[in-house]
Amino acid sequence: MTLRKQVKYNAKRCLCNSWGKAVAISLMGVAIYLLFAIIEMIANLLLTLPAQTSYLIPGISDSWLLSFAISVVMAIGSFLLLVPLNLGITSWYYSLSDGISEDILNIFCFFANRRMFFRSLYLTLNIGVRVLLTSLLYLIVPGAGIGFSIWLLSTAPFAGAIFAGSLALTFSAMLFLLMLGFLLVRLQKYFLARYYLLDTTTTVHKAIRNSIHATKSVRDEIFLFKLSFLGWGIASLILLPILYTSAYYSMSAMLYARFLMEQDKRSNSIVLVGDVNSDDGSEEGSTAAEDLSQTKPFESCSPSPAANSDVSVEEPTISVSLNQELGEKE
């Protein structure tokens, strides 16, 4: 069984006793988003002004300015509410991956923690700016080529411009798709950032650095993992399957993220067995070498009688043996 299939199988087992809560959380997130959209729609209908030129900006009507201001206010409000809420939902799935099905109201936990509230906002803004700048770097050349091709086709300033424009448009479109693919793979380096941020001692910049380091050699695998949910995403356009798809993807992404984080942690803590001091026989490294081939397969995420004990679970709920990883790469 490949890693992706193992992750998805384990995700279903984790959700087996918590589908109701997971669906309720999905509905809550969709309801909050729709609430802001409905408020914006109603405000635009009630506060519509006559179409007259604004005194503030000549050439633009007051009704357009008011509608734009309402959209900005609703966008800021939804950002301040949905971003910490999404991080709280991620935390809920993290607990579920440990076999602990928390109350759904715990998804609002970061609203009571001022530090984590602002960290979640800063993380989203930081990654958003990085994604925007990276996208410009990758797509500005093919985008300019497409714009120039359209200008040639529409104006035809010289003989043969139609042929040249068509050829340039075809080449630019192919280059755009190619660069878009590279861009989507590169952006997967931020996949683990929000999962690292769940540790309250981790800063935003450290979470981003850890994510970039942990995903350095597996960004294409992360992209393929997300792409494997494309069919479910298309089915979610009917709206009803989104209740299943949202929980299924969130749980699968959590397990996959925990596997990658643990894999990176172990790769950083492994020391060579031969690196010992010949004088006193003590190891040079402070951490003993681990045998990755002795890891056990995932058993179950369903809550057990020991789930409420004081013993904390430090190891992730999913691990794949070294032989299985090598088999995948071959």
Side-chain angles (χ1 to χ4, degrees):
M1 184 180 293
T2 63
L3 177 60
R4 286 196 295 271
K5 291 182 179 179
Q6 182 71 31
V7 167
K8 293 179 180 180
Y9 173 74
N10 292 336
K12 293 177 182 178
R13 297 191 64 181
C14 282
L15 290 167
C16 61
N17 295 324
S18 302
W19 276 110
K21 292 182 179 180
V23 170
I25 290 174
S26 300
L27 285 175
M28 194 175 300
V30 173
I32 293 175
Y33 175 79
L34 292 178
L35 177 63
F36 279 97
I38 293 173
I39 291 176
E40 180 180 356
M41 185 183 303
I42 294 176
N44 285 326
L45 291 176
L46 295 179
L47 300 179
T48 300
L49 298 178
Q52 57 184 6
T53 303
S54 173
Y55 294 100
L56 298 176
I57 304 178
I60 299 179
S61 64
D62 287 329
S63 59
W64 187 91
L65 286 178
L66 182 59
S67 177
F68 178 76
I70 293 174
S71 299
V72 171
V73 171
M74 290 297 103
I76 295 176
S78 60
F79 175 78
L80 294 176
L81 183 58
L82 291 177
V83 170
L85 180 64
N86 287 332
L87 189 62
I89 293 174
T90 303
S91 177
W92 186 86
Y93 280 105
Y94 187 93
S95 298
L96 187 60
S97 67
D98 280 332
I100 303 173
S101 182
E102 296 182 340
D103 189 271
I104 61 175
L105 294 180
N106 286 345
I107 65 176
F108 297 99
C109 61
F110 292 118
F111 289 96
N113 189 329
R114 182 176 60 182
R115 177 178 297 179
M116 292 303 297
F117 176 83
F118 287 107
R119 280 183 179 179
S120 64
L121 299 179
Y122 181 50
L123 177 68
T124 303
L125 289 175
N126 195 315
I127 293 180
V129 172
R130 291 167 181 258
V131 169
L132 178 61
L133 295 178
T134 306
S135 301
L136 289 176
L137 180 64
Y138 273 76
L139 302 180
I140 188 170
V141 173
I146 292 176
F148 178 72
S149 303
I150 295 176
W151 177 79
L152 280 180
L153 293 175
S154 59
T155 59
F158 57 88
I162 301 298
F163 174 77
S166 301
L167 187 63
L169 181 61
T170 302
F171 175 78
S172 299
M174 294 176 61
L175 181 61
F176 183 87
L177 293 177
L178 179 63
M179 297 303 294
L180 180 62
F182 285 119
L183 172 64
L184 292 176
V185 172
R186 182 176 177 81
L187 293 181
Q188 303 312 312
K189 63 182 180 179
Y190 305 120
F191 172 67
L192 298 177
R194 60 173 178 160
Y195 299 102
Y196 277 112
L197 194 66
L198 292 178
D199 182 2
T200 56
T201 61
T202 303
T203 63
V204 171
H205 291 287
K206 185 178 180 181
I208 295 176
R209 287 197 303 268
N210 290 344
S211 177
I212 293 174
H213 182 270
T215 60
K216 189 173 183 180
S217 59
V218 293
R219 292 169 189 170
D220 53 341
E221 293 293 331
I222 297 174
F223 178 69
L224 293 177
F225 170 78
K226 292 183 177 181
L227 197 63
S228 65
F229 288 89
L230 181 61
W232 284 109
I234 295 175
S236 297
L237 297 177
I238 311 175
L239 296 182
L240 186 58
I242 197 174
L243 301 179
Y244 172 84
T245 306
S246 177
Y248 182 36
Y249 172 76
S250 298
M251 191 71 253
S252 300
M254 171 57 68
L255 294 180
Y256 191 39
R258 294 195 66 174
F259 169 77
L260 295 177
M261 292 163 66
E262 181 65 17
Q263 186 181 50
D264 181 65
K265 178 181 177 181
R266 293 188 176 188
S267 65
N268 293 333
S269 63
I270 292 177
V271 296
L272 296 177
V273 179
D275 289 346
V276 295
N277 193 313
S278 58
D279 296 332
D280 55 7
S282 61
E283 293 185 1
E284 290 184 356
S286 59
T287 306
E290 299 184 57
D291 185 2
L292 298 184
S293 63
Q294 298 301 319
T295 54
K296 297 180 180 180
F298 176 81
E299 294 294 340
S300 174
C301 278
S302 58
S304 61
N308 296 324
S309 64
D310 294 333
V311 181
S312 60
V313 180
E314 297 183 356
E315 292 295 329
T317 57
I318 174 172
S319 58
V320 178
S321 67
L322 182 61
N323 295 332
Q324 180 178 348
E325 293 180 32
L326 293 175
E328 275 188 53
K329 293 180 180 180
E330 291 176 358

